[in-house]
Amino acid sequence: MSLHTQYLESFLRSQFYMLRMDGPLPLPYRHYIAIMAAARHQCSYLINMHVDEFLKTGGIAEWLNGLEYVPQRLKNLNEINKLLAHRPWLITKEHIQKLVKTGENNWSLPELVHAVVLLAHYHALASFVFGSGINPERDPEISNGFRIVSVNNFCVCDLANDNNIENASLAGNNFGIVDSLSELEALMERMKRLQEDREDEETSQEEMTTRFEKEKKESLFVVSGDTFHSFPHSDFDDDMIITSDVSRYIEDPGFGYEDFARRGEEHLPTFRAQDYTWENHGFSLVNRLYSDIGHLLDEKFRMVYNLTYNTMATHEDVDTTTLRRALFNYVHCMFGIRYDDYDYGEVNQLLERSLKVYIKTVTCYPERTTKRMYDSYWRQFKHSEKVHVNLLLMEARMQAELLYALRAITRHLT
């Protein structure tokens, strides 16, 4: 993240506030919730970090033996943790009512909002961790059993050096420099054409809806089971064996992402963004129940959405707005969220298939991300630009989870 210092400051401010500043939840609870969230994606890097923090802030060591050792009210978060992580569109006001109903294990609304913000933050952060190749492997020779090493041959020392990555990925593929350059030129040409077309023609609302439905259905065919078998596995196993030290923090480990647009599930209504937006609805609700976090999250969302250096690989003075918007909106599309004023035809023009595979994996099944996927898209781009993509994906995912959860809380309140 330090490749993008402006964003990093904003990220650290909001994370510090969630974990350390005044808020509805006691400090050990905050870290335990972070552990529960990271465990949904088997993200041992984040789990280990928060196990330490949990103990440092006075957490009861016995809770780390697993969910059967924690208070019932924490255990009650299991369902919402699971749905938020994998299928947030299934969250209803009934889930909220169950958690806040009166009784000794109930959650107050401010506590629940704090918990939901933490869950969404750590699910999304797991996407960033795996997308950037940061996850520890077990090392029996080290006292705590872990060391930070490369994942799938991601070399941590390379991460700070754009040129290494760039040269390594160029040398390591069969396409050669010429194809990579023409791929880049072609993308820039498409961006330019889209800008011009937008000025020339008005697309009808009907056509916009059709294009969204088409993109949503097409996302079904991105990352099929076969795709995974075609990748050479290094640290990855087909069945993703979940180690006991991770699975103890979750229930129903088999529950995972399923496409919003699954065939035969036509009854799931699309989330029309303008009916419940972050700016007009989510922001004020969060701020009312957990003061100031709304401002910090809003700043972070805006920061990543508008972050640009006006460069693409070796080119300068490039307006990357259409590309950033396509990345953000494609994530929301996979989560069933649609913007009326956005032409989803742009997604298909700007995001090639290997990039879509990467986006869907990082966003929906981050623990399956491989170095090969990372290298397979935008071969001419700098590593810092790919980290920028990961930041956009992380924030788009967090916002999607929050929109569904906050909409359910709003419905409970009304």
Side-chain angles (χ1 to χ4, degrees):
M1 281 186 195
S2 60
L3 293 167
H4 303 281
T5 47
Q6 263 184 304
Y7 171 81
L8 179 61
E9 282 172 25
S10 184
F11 172 87
L12 291 174
R13 263 199 300 276
S14 59
Q15 183 170 269
F16 185 82
Y17 190 83
M18 281 173 222
L19 292 173
R20 309 244 185 272
M21 301 296 281
D22 284 350
L25 292 174
L27 297 182
Y29 262 59
R30 302 181 195 192
H31 293 292
Y32 202 87
I33 289 167
I35 293 167
M36 288 170 69
R40 285 296 341 165
H41 289 304
Q42 304 138 51
C43 187
S44 40
Y45 173 72
L46 291 174
I47 292 170
N48 299 329
M49 194 187 286
H50 287 283
V51 162
D52 286 350
E53 291 291 327
F54 172 76
L55 293 170
K56 275 186 204 149
T57 53
I60 297 166
E62 192 188 16
W63 292 10
L64 299 173
N65 293 332
L67 287 175
E68 58 270 36
Y69 298 90
V70 304
Q72 186 59 44
R73 63 197 298 256
L74 260 180
K75 226 183 286 183
N76 291 349
L77 281 183
N78 259 314
E79 186 69 10
I80 204 162
N81 181 23
K82 176 176 95 172
L83 293 178
L84 261 183
H86 308 295
R87 301 176 213 167
W89 50 87
L90 297 179
I91 292 175
T92 62
K93 66 175 186 186
E94 283 71 33
H95 291 112
I96 306 302
Q97 279 158 355
K98 220 157 126 187
L99 287 164
V100 299
K101 68 170 194 288
T102 47
E104 56 179 328
N105 298 314
N106 74 316
W107 289 76
S108 71
L109 272 175
E111 286 173 331
L112 184 57
V113 166
H114 194 169
V116 159
V117 167
L118 283 164
L119 291 170
H121 176 77
Y122 281 98
H123 296 151
L125 192 52
S127 283
F128 181 82
V129 165
F130 283 110
S132 305
I134 313 157
N135 211 37
E137 291 169 354
R138 263 203 174 289
D139 187 343
E141 291 169 27
I142 291 182
S143 60
N144 68 358
F146 283 93
R147 63 194 168 111
I148 297 292
V149 291
S150 63
V151 169
N152 283 354
N153 315 320
F154 262 80
C155 170
V156 178
C157 57
D158 280 350
L159 294 191
N161 185 339
D162 280 345
N163 300 331
N164 287 7
I165 292 274
E166 202 173 338
N167 298 338
S169 62
L170 284 174
N173 65 39
N174 306 321
F175 299 89
I177 292 175
V178 178
D179 281 7
S180 293
L181 285 170
S182 56
E183 175 188 68
L184 173 67
E185 303 296 342
L187 174 59
M188 290 182 63
E189 188 50 46
R190 288 197 298 275
M191 284 165 61
K192 200 168 135 205
R193 216 177 38 243
L194 283 174
Q195 292 274 14
E196 288 161 5
D197 290 352
R198 203 184 293 146
E199 288 154 19
D200 295 344
E201 58 164 304
E202 276 294 305
T203 314
S204 73
Q205 203 51 59
E206 255 166 290
E207 178 57 24
M208 299 272 249
T209 308
T210 311
R211 287 177 188 179
F212 170 78
E213 291 303 327
K214 183 168 170 248
E215 195 53 57
K216 192 173 76 177
K217 290 224 163 48
E218 275 186 10
S219 76
L220 280 170
F221 304 105
V222 173
V223 191
S224 62
D226 311 330
T227 319
F228 289 115
H229 297 292
S230 66
F231 283 109
H233 291 276
S234 45
D235 306 332
F236 289 75
D237 199 295
D238 285 344
D239 300 318
M240 285 309 296
I241 297 154
I242 301 183
T243 54
S244 61
D245 49 323
V246 171
S247 62
R248 70 177 84 161
Y249 299 118
I250 53 174
E251 280 175 0
D252 197 1
F255 186 91
Y257 174 83
E258 273 187 2
D259 289 280
F260 179 84
R262 268 205 348 275
R263 291 174 278 301
E265 284 216 358
E266 296 305 318
H267 63 280
L268 273 178
T270 294
F271 187 128
R272 292 177 66 247
Q274 51 292 347
D275 294 344
Y276 194 92
T277 65
W278 163 255
E279 292 78 13
N280 300 334
H281 306 90
F283 168 78
S284 51
L285 177 70
V286 163
N287 245 10
R288 196 174 87 221
L289 291 166
Y290 176 18
S291 65
D292 289 338
I293 193 64
H295 290 293
L296 291 164
L297 293 176
D298 190 57
E299 179 199 330
K300 188 160 62 83
F301 291 147
R302 283 174 199 273
M303 170 70 67
V304 82
Y305 197 75
N306 297 319
L307 183 66
T308 181
Y309 305 96
N310 299 108
T311 57
M312 273 175 76
T314 50
H315 295 262
E316 297 189 353
D317 296 324
V318 186
D319 181 355
T320 59
T321 311
T322 49
L323 190 54
R324 296 196 311 273
R325 197 170 178 196
L327 288 162
F328 201 90
N329 287 359
Y330 184 57
V331 172
H332 280 198
C333 174
M334 288 187 300
F335 283 90
I337 297 171
R338 175 179 150 235
Y339 294 86
D340 272 2
D341 61 349
Y342 183 68
D343 176 359
Y344 286 85
E346 293 191 6
V347 167
N348 253 352
Q349 299 216 29
L350 296 175
L351 311 184
E352 37 151 332
R353 186 166 175 91
S354 58
L355 176 52
K356 283 183 171 179
V357 167
Y358 178 78
I359 292 171
K360 188 166 183 179
T361 309
V362 167
T363 309
C364 307
Y365 326 88
E367 59 283 1
R368 295 182 189 175
T369 312
T370 65
K371 170 91 162 63
R372 170 92 172 261
M373 286 178 192
Y374 180 91
D375 286 342
S376 69
Y377 81 94
W378 286 6
R379 290 181 296 275
Q380 265 298 97
F381 282 65
K382 299 187 182 101
H383 174 66
S384 58
E385 290 172 309
K386 292 190 168 193
V387 171
H388 189 174
V389 169
N390 283 341
L391 295 176
L392 269 164
L393 303 184
M394 166 171 77
E395 294 298 352
R397 176 182 179 177
M398 181 174 183
Q399 193 180 94
E401 289 191 24
L402 283 178
L403 283 172
Y404 279 110
L406 295 172
R407 183 179 69 168
I409 291 172
T410 300
R411 286 176 173 172
H412 158 72
L413 286 168
T414 48

PDB file of all heavy atoms in Angstrom, residues 369-386:
ATOM      1  N   THR A 369      -6.223 -17.126  -5.309  1.00  0.00           N
ATOM      2  CA  THR A 369      -5.414 -16.305  -6.220  1.00  0.00           C
ATOM      3  C   THR A 369      -4.025 -16.902  -6.416  1.00  0.00           C
ATOM      4  O   THR A 369      -3.401 -17.336  -5.452  1.00  0.00           O
ATOM      5  CB  THR A 369      -5.256 -14.874  -5.653  1.00  0.00           C
ATOM      6  OG1 THR A 369      -6.545 -14.409  -5.255  1.00  0.00           O
ATOM      7  CG2 THR A 369      -4.686 -13.936  -6.699  1.00  0.00           C
ATOM      8  N   THR A 370      -3.555 -16.918  -7.642  1.00  0.00           N
ATOM      9  CA  THR A 370      -2.206 -17.435  -7.912  1.00  0.00           C
ATOM     10  C   THR A 370      -1.357 -16.360  -8.589  1.00  0.00           C
ATOM     11  O   THR A 370      -1.875 -15.423  -9.178  1.00  0.00           O
ATOM     12  CB  THR A 370      -2.257 -18.651  -8.866  1.00  0.00           C
ATOM     13  OG1 THR A 370      -2.758 -18.209 -10.133  1.00  0.00           O
ATOM     14  CG2 THR A 370      -3.132 -19.761  -8.334  1.00  0.00           C
ATOM     15  N   LYS A 371      -0.070 -16.559  -8.505  1.00  0.00           N
ATOM     16  CA  LYS A 371       0.879 -15.652  -9.148  1.00  0.00           C
ATOM     17  C   LYS A 371       0.634 -15.632 -10.663  1.00  0.00           C
ATOM     18  O   LYS A 371       0.735 -14.615 -11.328  1.00  0.00           O
ATOM     19  CB  LYS A 371       2.299 -16.141  -8.842  1.00  0.00           C
ATOM     20  CG  LYS A 371       3.416 -15.449  -9.623  1.00  0.00           C
ATOM     21  CD  LYS A 371       3.943 -14.251  -8.876  1.00  0.00           C
ATOM     22  CE  LYS A 371       5.291 -13.790  -9.353  1.00  0.00           C
ATOM     23  NZ  LYS A 371       5.355 -13.327 -10.724  1.00  0.00           N
ATOM     24  N   ARG A 372       0.297 -16.801 -11.191  1.00  0.00           N
ATOM     25  CA  ARG A 372       0.042 -16.915 -12.626  1.00  0.00           C
ATOM     26  C   ARG A 372      -1.088 -15.981 -13.052  1.00  0.00           C
ATOM     27  O   ARG A 372      -1.019 -15.334 -14.087  1.00  0.00           O
ATOM     28  CB  ARG A 372      -0.293 -18.387 -12.913  1.00  0.00           C
ATOM     29  CG  ARG A 372      -0.815 -18.674 -14.296  1.00  0.00           C
ATOM     30  CD  ARG A 372       0.315 -19.043 -15.255  1.00  0.00           C
ATOM     31  NE  ARG A 372      -0.238 -19.492 -16.509  1.00  0.00           N
ATOM     32  CZ  ARG A 372      -0.390 -20.762 -16.844  1.00  0.00           C
ATOM     33  NH1 ARG A 372       0.000 -21.709 -16.008  1.00  0.00           N
ATOM     34  NH2 ARG A 372      -0.893 -21.085 -18.007  1.00  0.00           N
ATOM     35  N   MET A 373      -2.156 -15.931 -12.251  1.00  0.00           N
ATOM     36  CA  MET A 373      -3.281 -15.038 -12.576  1.00  0.00           C
ATOM     37  C   MET A 373      -2.832 -13.586 -12.549  1.00  0.00           C
ATOM     38  O   MET A 373      -3.220 -12.781 -13.386  1.00  0.00           O
ATOM     39  CB  MET A 373      -4.391 -15.178 -11.534  1.00  0.00           C
ATOM     40  CG  MET A 373      -5.196 -16.431 -11.612  1.00  0.00           C
ATOM     41  SD  MET A 373      -6.380 -16.375 -10.244  1.00  0.00           S
ATOM     42  CE  MET A 373      -6.946 -18.063 -10.306  1.00  0.00           C
ATOM     43  N   TYR A 374      -2.024 -13.277 -11.532  1.00  0.00           N
ATOM     44  CA  TYR A 374      -1.543 -11.907 -11.365  1.00  0.00           C
ATOM     45  C   TYR A 374      -0.715 -11.488 -12.578  1.00  0.00           C
ATOM     46  O   TYR A 374      -0.823 -10.380 -13.087  1.00  0.00           O
ATOM     47  CB  TYR A 374      -0.702 -11.833 -10.090  1.00  0.00           C
ATOM     48  CG  TYR A 374      -0.136 -10.476  -9.765  1.00  0.00           C
ATOM     49  CD1 TYR A 374      -0.841  -9.591  -8.955  1.00  0.00           C
ATOM     50  CD2 TYR A 374       1.108 -10.080 -10.260  1.00  0.00           C
ATOM     51  CE1 TYR A 374      -0.323  -8.348  -8.645  1.00  0.00           C
ATOM     52  CE2 TYR A 374       1.632  -8.832  -9.950  1.00  0.00           C
ATOM     53  CZ  TYR A 374       0.913  -7.968  -9.149  1.00  0.00           C
ATOM     54  OH  TYR A 374       1.441  -6.733  -8.844  1.00  0.00           O
ATOM     55  N   ASP A 375       0.111 -12.405 -13.044  1.00  0.00           N
ATOM     56  CA  ASP A 375       0.988 -12.090 -14.178  1.00  0.00           C
ATOM     57  C   ASP A 375       0.257 -12.086 -15.517  1.00  0.00           C
ATOM     58  O   ASP A 375       0.749 -11.541 -16.495  1.00  0.00           O
ATOM     59  CB  ASP A 375       2.132 -13.117 -14.268  1.00  0.00           C
ATOM     60  CG  ASP A 375       3.165 -12.882 -13.184  1.00  0.00           C
ATOM     61  OD1 ASP A 375       3.177 -11.766 -12.626  1.00  0.00           O
ATOM     62  OD2 ASP A 375       3.938 -13.804 -12.888  1.00  0.00           O
ATOM     63  N   SER A 376      -0.906 -12.739 -15.562  1.00  0.00           N
ATOM     64  CA  SER A 376      -1.514 -12.985 -16.871  1.00  0.00           C
ATOM     65  C   SER A 376      -2.210 -11.758 -17.450  1.00  0.00           C
ATOM     66  O   SER A 376      -2.542 -11.729 -18.613  1.00  0.00           O
ATOM     67  CB  SER A 376      -2.514 -14.131 -16.772  1.00  0.00           C
ATOM     68  OG  SER A 376      -3.622 -13.696 -15.995  1.00  0.00           O
ATOM     69  N   TYR A 377      -2.472 -10.743 -16.619  1.00  0.00           N
ATOM     70  CA  TYR A 377      -3.169  -9.578 -17.192  1.00  0.00           C
ATOM     71  C   TYR A 377      -2.236  -8.363 -17.186  1.00  0.00           C
ATOM     72  O   TYR A 377      -1.333  -8.262 -16.379  1.00  0.00           O
ATOM     73  CB  TYR A 377      -4.466  -9.291 -16.416  1.00  0.00           C
ATOM     74  CG  TYR A 377      -4.310  -8.515 -15.123  1.00  0.00           C
ATOM     75  CD1 TYR A 377      -4.443  -7.129 -15.103  1.00  0.00           C
ATOM     76  CD2 TYR A 377      -4.041  -9.161 -13.915  1.00  0.00           C
ATOM     77  CE1 TYR A 377      -4.295  -6.410 -13.934  1.00  0.00           C
ATOM     78  CE2 TYR A 377      -3.900  -8.440 -12.740  1.00  0.00           C
ATOM     79  CZ  TYR A 377      -4.023  -7.067 -12.754  1.00  0.00           C
ATOM     80  OH  TYR A 377      -3.870  -6.341 -11.586  1.00  0.00           O
ATOM     81  N   TRP A 378      -2.448  -7.456 -18.115  1.00  0.00           N
ATOM     82  CA  TRP A 378      -1.721  -6.189 -18.190  1.00  0.00           C
ATOM     83  C   TRP A 378      -0.209  -6.394 -18.041  1.00  0.00           C
ATOM     84  O   TRP A 378       0.429  -5.822 -17.161  1.00  0.00           O
ATOM     85  CB  TRP A 378      -2.196  -5.249 -17.080  1.00  0.00           C
ATOM     86  CG  TRP A 378      -3.530  -4.637 -17.280  1.00  0.00           C
ATOM     87  CD1 TRP A 378      -4.421  -4.894 -18.277  1.00  0.00           C
ATOM     88  CD2 TRP A 378      -4.149  -3.657 -16.424  1.00  0.00           C
ATOM     89  NE1 TRP A 378      -5.562  -4.139 -18.093  1.00  0.00           N
ATOM     90  CE2 TRP A 378      -5.420  -3.377 -16.967  1.00  0.00           C
ATOM     91  CE3 TRP A 378      -3.750  -3.006 -15.264  1.00  0.00           C
ATOM     92  CZ2 TRP A 378      -6.289  -2.464 -16.389  1.00  0.00           C
ATOM     93  CZ3 TRP A 378      -4.617  -2.102 -14.676  1.00  0.00           C
ATOM     94  CH2 TRP A 378      -5.866  -1.825 -15.233  1.00  0.00           C
ATOM     95  N   ARG A 379       0.357  -7.180 -18.922  1.00  0.00           N
ATOM     96  CA  ARG A 379       1.767  -7.545 -18.719  1.00  0.00           C
ATOM     97  C   ARG A 379       2.730  -6.369 -18.779  1.00  0.00           C
ATOM     98  O   ARG A 379       3.834  -6.444 -18.269  1.00  0.00           O
ATOM     99  CB  ARG A 379       2.160  -8.622 -19.750  1.00  0.00           C
ATOM    100  CG  ARG A 379       1.491  -9.946 -19.453  1.00  0.00           C
ATOM    101  CD  ARG A 379       1.905 -10.997 -20.456  1.00  0.00           C
ATOM    102  NE  ARG A 379       1.460 -10.675 -21.805  1.00  0.00           N
ATOM    103  CZ  ARG A 379       0.256 -10.969 -22.292  1.00  0.00           C
ATOM    104  NH1 ARG A 379      -0.606 -11.599 -21.544  1.00  0.00           N
ATOM    105  NH2 ARG A 379      -0.068 -10.661 -23.529  1.00  0.00           N
ATOM    106  N   GLN A 380       2.305  -5.261 -19.425  1.00  0.00           N
ATOM    107  CA  GLN A 380       3.209  -4.113 -19.535  1.00  0.00           C
ATOM    108  C   GLN A 380       3.131  -3.168 -18.341  1.00  0.00           C
ATOM    109  O   GLN A 380       3.906  -2.235 -18.239  1.00  0.00           O
ATOM    110  CB  GLN A 380       2.844  -3.292 -20.782  1.00  0.00           C
ATOM    111  CG  GLN A 380       3.650  -3.618 -22.011  1.00  0.00           C
ATOM    112  CD  GLN A 380       5.122  -3.339 -21.799  1.00  0.00           C
ATOM    113  OE1 GLN A 380       5.875  -4.237 -21.487  1.00  0.00           O
ATOM    114  NE2 GLN A 380       5.536  -2.092 -21.952  1.00  0.00           N
ATOM    115  N   PHE A 381       2.142  -3.399 -17.473  1.00  0.00           N
ATOM    116  CA  PHE A 381       1.906  -2.426 -16.410  1.00  0.00           C
ATOM    117  C   PHE A 381       2.876  -2.607 -15.250  1.00  0.00           C
ATOM    118  O   PHE A 381       3.375  -3.692 -15.001  1.00  0.00           O
ATOM    119  CB  PHE A 381       0.470  -2.557 -15.898  1.00  0.00           C
ATOM    120  CG  PHE A 381      -0.550  -1.919 -16.796  1.00  0.00           C
ATOM    121  CD1 PHE A 381      -0.766  -2.411 -18.084  1.00  0.00           C
ATOM    122  CD2 PHE A 381      -1.278  -0.831 -16.376  1.00  0.00           C
ATOM    123  CE1 PHE A 381      -1.700  -1.828 -18.924  1.00  0.00           C
ATOM    124  CE2 PHE A 381      -2.215  -0.240 -17.205  1.00  0.00           C
ATOM    125  CZ  PHE A 381      -2.423  -0.736 -18.475  1.00  0.00           C
ATOM    126  N   LYS A 382       3.097  -1.522 -14.526  1.00  0.00           N
ATOM    127  CA  LYS A 382       3.980  -1.586 -13.363  1.00  0.00           C
ATOM    128  C   LYS A 382       3.268  -2.313 -12.228  1.00  0.00           C
ATOM    129  O   LYS A 382       2.037  -2.317 -12.143  1.00  0.00           O
ATOM    130  CB  LYS A 382       4.312  -0.170 -12.884  1.00  0.00           C
ATOM    131  CG  LYS A 382       5.027   0.684 -13.914  1.00  0.00           C
ATOM    132  CD  LYS A 382       5.442   1.989 -13.225  1.00  0.00           C
ATOM    133  CE  LYS A 382       6.128   2.933 -14.196  1.00  0.00           C
ATOM    134  NZ  LYS A 382       5.207   3.983 -14.660  1.00  0.00           N
ATOM    135  N   HIS A 383       4.088  -2.853 -11.327  1.00  0.00           N
ATOM    136  CA  HIS A 383       3.513  -3.514 -10.153  1.00  0.00           C
ATOM    137  C   HIS A 383       2.644  -2.536  -9.360  1.00  0.00           C
ATOM    138  O   HIS A 383       1.565  -2.890  -8.885  1.00  0.00           O
ATOM    139  CB  HIS A 383       4.636  -4.063  -9.274  1.00  0.00           C
ATOM    140  CG  HIS A 383       4.134  -4.629  -7.992  1.00  0.00           C
ATOM    141  ND1 HIS A 383       3.338  -5.743  -7.946  1.00  0.00           N
ATOM    142  CD2 HIS A 383       4.294  -4.210  -6.715  1.00  0.00           C
ATOM    143  CE1 HIS A 383       3.030  -5.989  -6.678  1.00  0.00           C
ATOM    144  NE2 HIS A 383       3.590  -5.083  -5.924  1.00  0.00           N
ATOM    145  N   SER A 384       3.086  -1.292  -9.229  1.00  0.00           N
ATOM    146  CA  SER A 384       2.301  -0.321  -8.448  1.00  0.00           C
ATOM    147  C   SER A 384       0.916  -0.118  -9.070  1.00  0.00           C
ATOM    148  O   SER A 384      -0.068   0.116  -8.361  1.00  0.00           O
ATOM    149  CB  SER A 384       3.030   1.019  -8.360  1.00  0.00           C
ATOM    150  OG  SER A 384       3.282   1.523  -9.659  1.00  0.00           O
ATOM    151  N   GLU A 385       0.821  -0.249 -10.400  1.00  0.00           N
ATOM    152  CA  GLU A 385      -0.484  -0.088 -11.049  1.00  0.00           C
ATOM    153  C   GLU A 385      -1.390  -1.283 -10.743  1.00  0.00           C
ATOM    154  O   GLU A 385      -2.599  -1.139 -10.594  1.00  0.00           O
ATOM    155  CB  GLU A 385      -0.296   0.085 -12.570  1.00  0.00           C
ATOM    156  CG  GLU A 385       0.346   1.432 -12.898  1.00  0.00           C
ATOM    157  CD  GLU A 385       0.735   1.586 -14.369  1.00  0.00           C
ATOM    158  OE1 GLU A 385       1.407   0.694 -14.919  1.00  0.00           O
ATOM    159  OE2 GLU A 385       0.364   2.606 -14.960  1.00  0.00           O
ATOM    160  N   LYS A 386      -0.777  -2.447 -10.624  1.00  0.00           N
ATOM    161  CA  LYS A 386      -1.591  -3.622 -10.274  1.00  0.00           C
ATOM    162  C   LYS A 386      -2.022  -3.574  -8.802  1.00  0.00           C
ATOM    163  O   LYS A 386      -3.106  -4.033  -8.447  1.00  0.00           O
ATOM    164  CB  LYS A 386      -0.815  -4.898 -10.581  1.00  0.00           C
ATOM    165  CG  LYS A 386      -0.624  -5.109 -12.080  1.00  0.00           C
ATOM    166  CD  LYS A 386      -0.073  -6.495 -12.380  1.00  0.00           C
ATOM    167  CE  LYS A 386      -0.166  -6.801 -13.872  1.00  0.00           C
ATOM    168  NZ  LYS A 386       0.068  -8.217 -14.163  1.00  0.00           N
TER     169      LYS A 386
END
